[in-house]
């Protein structure tokens, strides 16, 4: 699969917000309907997904986060990840990786690995040397992160809920980057 990963610019986040939010909402809704524990519960109304992405795009426009998207050869957004850079004053070297999402029909084709490589590069460009993230304990994403050089720190049982309301554990990871 021919995949392009790129950063949404601040200008794009402002001028193309509706179009981008709609495409990203499609990915988010698909992931939640597929059982991904990414802060949302079933059913996920489209209006809620759109509001979430409009907030993310506003943050990208304010340079509080980096929003990366993966496009298919046809130009459709099939995946995304964020690098949250607006952190407390005592953590200027750190960023949080959030909302790694890949549409179910694009999985197992290297999209997530390309997004992770792009988030590492974006972090370096932002001068960030410590990255952290969390994911469902025992899920496929754990193996993906480990293959990409992330180190598990530990897990917390019953930390969050799956979209259907079942409890799930969460494993926390970190990655140290040379800047």
């Amino acid at each position: 699969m021919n995949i392009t990963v790129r950063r949404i610019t601040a200008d794009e986040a402002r001028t193309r917000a509706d179009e981008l939010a709609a495409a990203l909402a499609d990915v988010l809704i698909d992931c939640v309907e597929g059982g991904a524990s990414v802060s949302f519960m079933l059913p996920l109304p489209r209006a809620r997904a759109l509001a979430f992405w409009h907030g993310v795009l506003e943050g990208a426009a304010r340079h509080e986060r980096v929003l990366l998207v993966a496009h298919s050869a046809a130009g459709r957004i099939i995946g995304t990840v964020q690098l949250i850079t607006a952190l407390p004053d005592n953590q200027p070297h750190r960023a949080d990786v959030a909302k790694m999402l890949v549409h179910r029909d694009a999985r197992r084709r290297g999209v997530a690995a390309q997004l992770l490589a792009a988030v590492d590069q974006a972090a370096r460009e932002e001068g960030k040397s410590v990255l952290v993230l969390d994911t469902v304990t025992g899920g496929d994403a754990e193996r993906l992160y480990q293959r990409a050089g992330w180190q598990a720190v530990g897990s917390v049982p019953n930390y969050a809920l799956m979209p259907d309301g079942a409890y799930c554990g969460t494993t926390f990871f970190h990655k140290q980057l040379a800047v």
Side-chain angles (χ1 to χ4, degrees), residues 30-71:
D30 176 74
C31 289
V32 172
E33 288 177 350
S37 177
V38 290
S39 305
F40 296 93
M41 304 300 291
L42 286 170
L44 175 55
R46 185 161 187 79
R48 176 124 165 74
L50 288 168
F52 169 75
W53 285 111
H54 276 286
V56 168
L57 289 159
E58 289 166 9
R62 291 189 304 266
H63 302 284
E64 296 169 349
R65 65 183 64 221
V66 173
L67 175 59
L68 299 168
V69 295
H71 290 272

Side-chain angles (χ1 to χ4, degrees), residues 66-69 79-83 97-101 115 119:
V66 173
L67 175 59
L68 299 168
V69 295
T80 184
V81 66
Q82 298 171 50
L83 184 69
V97 174
K99 299 294 180 278
M100 165 71 95
L101 304 170
L115 284 165
V119 88

Side-chain angles (χ1 to χ4, degrees), residues 2 9 45 54 70 78-79 81 86 92 97 100 115 136 138 143 153-154 172-173:
N2 187 12
T9 66
H54 276 286
I78 55 173
V81 66
V97 174
M100 165 71 95
L115 284 165
V136 172
R143 290 180 293 285
V153 176
F172 293 85
F173 284 85

